[in-house]
């Protein structure tokens, strides 16, 4: 009887949620993953990249024409202010706790362990090194595609506006009492 009870207890323990399902990741393992992946450097780099994108956006808003020296000063000052706001709001100190929480909610301990194992390899480190450039190139391609679509987007928006206006003229809303 005791051996059956022991076996049942052992089986119950082995298939309990703590063992049957993967445990949530520890905060220490998430910190380790963030260190291995240079997450702080990536977050800081995003702010720097955004600065360059904002300057390009100003020029695109100018119809692609080069800015004169005074326009460049104005744009640089505004972009500098925006970058300062981003640095304050998206600093590593502010982002890290949110990222830890997201990692805890998204990944299991086994998944964090697997990522750690991968990112410690030369291939994993290559991904970390090359991903920002890949993302920049992807954003540049996407931005060019969106710019090419702008005339169509404007046409579709104008068409929708005309259709809505015609609909509202044909179906006026009753006056409010």
């Amino acid at each position: 009887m005791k051996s059956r009870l022991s076996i049942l207890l052992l089986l119950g323990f082995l298939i309990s949620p703590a063992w049957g399902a993967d445990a949530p990741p520890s905060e220490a393992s998430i910190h380790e993953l963030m260190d291995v992946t240079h997450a702080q450097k990536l977050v800081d780099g995003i702010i720097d990249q955004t600065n360059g994108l904002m300057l390009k956006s100003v020029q695109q808003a100018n119809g692609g024409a080069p800015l004169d020296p005074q326009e460049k000063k104005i744009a640089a000052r505004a972009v500098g202010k925006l970058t300062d706001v981003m640095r304050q709001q998206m600093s590593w100190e502010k982002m890290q706790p949110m990222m830890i929480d997201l990692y805890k909610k998204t990944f299991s301990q086994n998944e964090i362990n697997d990522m750690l194992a991968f990112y410690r390899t030369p291939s994993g480190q290559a991904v970390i090194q090359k991903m920002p450039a890949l993302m920049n190139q992807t954003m540049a391609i996407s931005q060019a595609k969106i710019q090419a679509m702008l005339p169509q987007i404007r046409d579709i928006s104008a068409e929708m506006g005309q259709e809505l206006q015609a609909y509202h003229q044909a179906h006026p809303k009753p006056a409010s009492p």
Side-chain angles (χ1 to χ4, degrees), residues 77-93:
R77 188 171 41 250
V79 168
K81 288 178 183 178
L82 288 170
T83 302
D84 289 345
V85 169
M86 287 181 67
R87 284 191 200 287
Q88 291 168 5
Q89 296 302 313
M90 296 179 67
S91 68
W92 179 245
E93 291 75 26

Side-chain angles (χ1 to χ4, degrees), residues 142-155:
S142 298
Q143 202 171 33
K145 292 282 186 189
I146 290 169
Q147 287 295 319
M149 292 186 299
L150 279 178
Q152 292 172 301
I153 292 169
R154 287 186 194 112
D155 291 346

Side-chain angles (χ1 to χ4, degrees), residues 20-32:
D22 196 17
S26 69
E27 199 162 309
S29 67
I30 295 170
H31 278 283
E32 188 177 351

